[in-house]
Amino acid sequence: MDDDLLRRIAAELNDVPGTAARAARSTPLVADTNGRIAEAAKALPFDSTPYAFPQWLAALEKSRRSP
Amino acid sequence: MTAAIASLDLTALAAAIASGEVSSEAATTAALDRLETVGRKLKAVKRLDRAGALESARAADKARASGARLGPLHGVPLAHKDLFYRKGELSEGGAKIRAGFRAEATATVIERLDAAGALDIGRLQLAEFALSPTGYNEHEGHPLNPWNAAHVPGGSSSGSGIAVAARCVAASLGTDTGGSLRHPGAMCGLVGLKPTWGLVPGDGVMPLSASLDCPGPLTRTARDAALMMSVMTQRNHTLSGDVHGMTIALPGGYYRETLHPAIAKALEEAAAVFRDRGATMIETAPPDMALINALMHLLMSVEAATIHRRWLIERPGDYADQVRSRIEPGLFYPATRYVEALAMRASLTREWIGACMGSADVALIPAIPVPVPTIAATTEGTPADVARAIAAVTHCTRGINYLGLPATSVPCGFDGAGLPIGFQLVGRPFTETMILNAAAAYQDATDWHNRIPPAADLNWN
């Protein structure tokens, strides 16, 4: 992931020129975070859903409140 | 009289007002006077409504005298982090950009406190946009730790932590996105409870990151936190203070690797207290916390950047650089990665519970693994130095927000500079009563929570 790509994302897609000018300082953190999550996502089941967490919490709460 | 009232914790103050031993007017006058003097000196106060608060207090006293049915916080004066909205009132989020903003609706959690009879006497300082674990606020001035003014009070709910520790109010609402209740809790010597994500309504509270934000209470004791939670959740959180038969996990690895010796010693002593009270302690090992921290960072920065994007375009100069630099990375992540971060949350939370807690009821980990830093250490030096100092503070707290689990700070000693040390109890979802019960058992056996910081200055009347 290079600084120029991040600069263009901030300037052209998000329309925040100030952030684009500071892209370099975020690059190592963004690259590291992106890489870790991309690697972990390889193990995600095909039918993974962003609703899994609230669904799990709701089920737990229901089971705690039932006699 | 003021000092006698200020010495009461929330449970005792509510009982004293309910019995007529202390009038709400006297309690409110004491709170306002202390916030105006001690609170302002420590830079904990944003704004107070003296006339409105005293009028409400007199009405509360009349209602009690008339034999009206009283709520559990009847006539108790409270002040909250300046993120909680009340319709028509200012709510400025510790930020230059929000100056003059008036809320269009009242937060549900404020309405619940109103219904319980609590008085809302003002708003307290916080880190700019709730975005600093130290309480850093470049525009409003650094809030000061009541135990030692050269040190940070913890944030982002800094004013709430200071006001409760310095005996200005007995409880205060704050929010916790990456540790913002537990940091001031640990650094000011308080119980700062981050509830299970979603348990306490977050509407009418200025968001930082909706997937992580948790409103919760800062109090002196676990029993006070349970009283606040009973009102805030409209559920009963009664504590027995008994840990016989309870199993407490002590996760090692990541949670021990940056531990300062003084804090390691305090944690060992805390574990011994639990053993003496009848709990069984087991050792466990955490999973890959670097991944969990990365996921937390991604959710927080992407959600914050979405809220802040327009201000980043129109008013970039009105952010402190330290704050803006925590939001901006969120503009660089692909949307697919954000959805993946949400999709992994349930399985990683189950994995953390399995690894860190196993068969235990709660896990005991450090709150802050390093001594409370000085203001200078978190504001001066190179950006890399400051970033390291800040990351050290959040080492044991930020991952818990991604996991959505309930966790509380509990005071357990003091370091060599006289600053508080705290541990953290973490539970499974919706086990707030269990973790507060363990905290109450610990507080029944110790007196750290009864120590009063020098800046509270209770000798002045």
Side-chain angles (χ1 to χ4, degrees):
Chain A
M1 183 172 291
D2 63 34
D3 298 354
D4 188 53
L5 173 63
L6 294 187
R7 207 171 289 121
R8 286 176 55 203
I9 290 170
E12 293 167 24
L13 299 182
N14 282 313
D15 193 24
V16 189
T19 298
R22 289 184 290 273
R25 74 178 182 180
S26 296
T27 304
L29 174 65
V30 170
D32 180 69
T33 302
N34 218 15
R36 281 182 198 279
I37 300 174
E39 186 59 33
K42 289 178 186 167
L44 269 175
F46 183 72
D47 59 350
S48 295
T49 161
Y51 302 120
F53 185 67
Q55 282 169 350
W56 177 65
L57 285 182
L60 276 180
E61 190 178 23
K62 195 174 171 188
S63 67
R64 286 180 60 81
R65 287 164 80 87
S66 357
Chain B
M1 184 61 174
T2 297
I5 292 171
S7 300
L8 300 173
D9 64 27
L10 179 68
T11 305
L13 180 60
I17 292 173
S19 70
E21 186 189 332
V22 171
S23 70
S24 176
E25 186 174 5
T28 303
T29 302
L32 288 165
D33 289 351
R34 291 188 60 74
L35 285 165
E36 285 288 9
T37 51
V38 175
R40 288 214 188 269
K41 192 169 149 192
L42 296 170
K43 299 187 176 136
V45 178
K46 184 62 187 174
R47 77 188 73 81
L48 301 172
D49 175 15
R50 189 173 193 98
L54 289 172
E55 188 185 336
S56 300
R58 286 189 283 268
D61 288 333
K62 273 188 193 162
R64 198 198 77 80
S66 72
R69 190 165 171 271
L70 307 181
L73 294 174
H74 184 84
V76 176
L78 301 177
H80 308 297
K81 187 177 190 177
D82 195 22
L83 278 187
F84 288 85
Y85 297 167
R86 182 178 291 282
K87 188 176 179 180
E89 301 292 327
L90 288 170
S91 185
E92 300 179 305
K96 205 171 171 181
I97 288 170
R98 294 287 269 181
F101 172 76
R102 288 187 185 273
E104 292 177 359
T106 301
T108 293
V109 71
I110 292 289
E111 287 177 343
R112 289 180 180 178
L113 287 171
D114 291 348
L119 308 186
D120 185 359
I121 69 171
R123 288 292 175 269
L124 302 173
Q125 196 51 272
L126 67 151
E128 182 182 342
F129 285 120
L131 253 169
S132 164
T134 64
Y136 179 78
N137 194 313
E138 194 170 286
H139 310 297
E140 307 278 356
H142 300 296
L144 310 175
N145 192 304
W147 292 94
N148 183 332
H151 292 252
V152 303
S156 64
S157 310
S158 47
S160 297
I162 295 167
V164 177
R167 274 54 176 175
C168 298
V169 287
S172 178
L173 291 182
T175 56
D176 191 317
T177 304
S180 289
L181 285 157
R182 292 161 288 154
H183 300 144
M187 296 192 212
C188 292
L190 300 171
V191 170
L193 174 70
K194 178 205 113 44
T196 305
W197 178 76
L199 177 61
V200 175
D203 65 285
V205 186
M206 190 193 167
L208 169 57
S209 168
S211 298
L212 306 173
D213 295 343
C214 296
L218 271 154
T219 57
R220 289 179 223 162
T221 71
R223 285 190 169 81
D224 287 355
L227 174 56
M228 287 290 283
M229 284 296 287
S230 295
V231 171
M232 294 165 70
T233 62
Q234 299 185 320
R235 298 178 191 191
N236 184 23
H237 294 275
T238 303
L239 309 183
S240 68
D242 184 1
V243 290
H244 278 96
M246 181 180 275
T247 302
I248 299 176
L250 297 167
Y254 173 88
Y255 289 114
R256 305 276 154 170
E257 64 195 21
T258 61
L259 208 49
H260 186 276
I263 294 163
K265 184 169 176 287
L267 291 180
E268 279 168 24
E269 289 168 359
V273 170
F274 280 115
R275 264 187 221 104
D276 289 347
R277 303 285 290 188
T280 302
M281 314 302 283
I282 60 169
E283 306 236 337
T284 59
D288 177 8
M289 292 306 298
L291 172 63
I292 289 171
N293 289 335
L295 289 157
M296 181 274 169
H297 157 75
L298 181 131
L299 289 188
M300 194 276 288
S301 62
V302 168
E303 292 180 357
T306 307
I307 292 165
H308 285 263
R309 196 179 71 94
R310 187 167 157 187
W311 292 324
L312 288 170
I313 296 167
E314 294 174 359
R315 304 182 61 176
D318 287 340
Y319 287 90
D321 188 60
Q322 195 182 109
V323 172
R324 194 177 49 207
S325 69
R326 299 192 68 206
I327 301 171
E328 285 181 331
L331 293 169
F332 300 128
Y333 292 110
T336 45
R337 197 104 310 136
Y338 171 78
V339 177
E340 285 166 354
L342 290 173
M344 286 181 215
R345 207 171 173 191
S347 58
L348 287 176
T349 302
R350 284 193 294 263
E351 186 187 337
W352 189 95
I353 290 171
C356 280
M357 297 179 67
S359 60
D361 301 292
V362 300
L364 190 159
I365 58 176
I368 310 293
V370 294
V372 179
T374 60
I375 291 171
T378 57
T379 56
E380 296 169 9
T382 66
D385 293 338
V386 171
R388 262 192 300 276
I390 289 174
V393 165
T394 62
H395 186 81
C396 299
T397 43
R398 62 188 192 269
I400 302 300
N401 290 74
Y402 177 75
L403 305 169
L405 301 172
T408 189
S409 66
V410 183
C412 67
F414 292 87
D415 64 21
L419 275 300
I421 297 172
F423 62 81
Q424 200 178 171
L425 292 170
V426 186
R428 291 179 174 76
F430 308 111
T431 60
E432 282 77 5
T433 303
M434 188 181 288
I435 62 175
L436 288 175
N437 197 53
Y442 178 81
Q443 291 190 315
D444 286 346
T446 58
D447 75 342
W448 305 114
H449 58 289
N450 291 325
R451 310 279 178 99
I452 300 172
D457 194 14
L458 282 185
N459 297 319
W460 56 275
N461 61 8

